[in-house]
Amino acid sequence: GSVGSEDSPSSSAWSESGVFQPDENYRKTVGVFTCRRRRLSNSDGHDADHRPNYILNWDAVREHVISTCDHEYRATSPLVTIAREEQIRDAFTMELRRQRGVLWDGKNPTLSLKDGYEVIFTPDEKTHYEFDCFLDDWKSYCDSKRLNKDTNSFSVVTALDFLHEMQ
């Protein structure tokens, strides 16, 4: 989980209004995990020389770290709060209106990946999460959702799902 020193407890990067505003304590927060070998099960728990058998299950370690980080980030610094979702929907709508000049006909309008990135991430977030990293995550998201990786645009519904998924 997130650990801060006694002088700097962990803190959320999100204000009550849903704006990304990391403070100095947040910047001092680190993620820590411990790996312990697990005894390899066999009939008596020992090898031929009667020493305990231990093995580190890297897949279990990876899954545990991912699960723990996902839980911690969703609990302390969720990417999508109710206020944030509303802000993203409004910003998406404003950008569509700016580009198209009129309201659309109720279909599922999309923005290019670049325009969508500019709309859904704040300037502070973009300093930590560059467009190239976003594109890598977009490809992973497309894989997990079995979407075409060459898709070069997305709707606000997909943008919000992406944020939830990639938290």
Side-chain angles (χ1 to χ4, degrees), residues 2 15 19-20 55 57 69 73 78 80 82 88 93 106 108-109 117 124 134 150 153 161 166:
S2 291
S15 70
V19 176
F20 183 73
I55 189 167
N57 182 333
C69 287
Y73 287 122
V80 185
I82 292 170
I88 290 171
T93 299
N108 204 14
Y117 168 83
D124 280 339
F134 165 74
D150 296 327
S153 64
D161 187 57
M166 301 311 285

Side-chain angles (χ1 to χ4, degrees), residues 7-157:
D7 297 332
S8 59
S10 66
S11 62
S12 176
W14 297 96
S15 70
E16 291 295 320
S17 65
V19 176
F20 183 73
Q21 294 176 322
D23 61 14
E24 286 307 309
N25 287 338
Y26 179 82
R27 294 182 195 285
K28 294 177 185 174
T29 304
V30 297
V32 177
F33 69 94
T34 303
C35 294
R36 292 191 180 101
R37 291 182 183 191
R38 186 173 179 187
R39 180 172 281 176
L40 180 64
S41 60
N42 62 16
S43 60
D44 66 356
H46 293 80
D47 65 14
D49 295 328
H50 298 288
R51 292 182 303 225
N53 285 327
Y54 293 97
I55 189 167
L56 187 59
N57 182 333
W58 289 105
D59 289 334
V61 169
R62 179 182 178 278
E63 289 305 314
H64 174 74
V65 169
I66 289 170
S67 172
T68 301
C69 287
D70 283 351
H71 173 75
E72 181 69 17
Y73 287 122
R74 284 189 174 116
T76 62
S77 298
L79 278 175
V80 185
T81 61
I82 292 170
R84 178 81 188 279
E85 182 173 334
E86 187 176 315
Q87 290 170 346
I88 290 171
R89 288 182 186 280
D90 289 347
F92 214 90
T93 299
M94 287 175 35
E95 180 61 17
L96 285 165
R97 286 179 182 162
R98 187 190 71 73
Q99 288 184 12
R100 299 181 183 174
V102 294
L103 289 174
W104 53 93
D105 60 5
K107 294 182 180 174
N108 204 14
T110 61
L111 291 175
S112 70
L113 292 178
K114 181 67 174 164
D115 289 341
Y117 168 83
E118 294 297 326
V119 164
I120 64 177
F121 295 106
T122 67
D124 280 339
E125 289 172 317
K126 289 182 236 176
T127 64
H128 298 283
Y129 187 56
E130 295 177 353
F131 185 65
D132 289 341
C133 294
F134 165 74
L135 289 178
D136 289 342
D137 285 347
W138 175 253
K139 289 175 186 170
S140 295
Y141 172 81
C142 289
D143 284 345
S144 74
K145 298 292 185 173
R146 298 177 191 220
L147 300 173
N148 180 351
K149 284 188 219 180
D150 296 327
T151 300
N152 59 7
S153 64
F154 58 108
S155 68
V156 69
V157 171

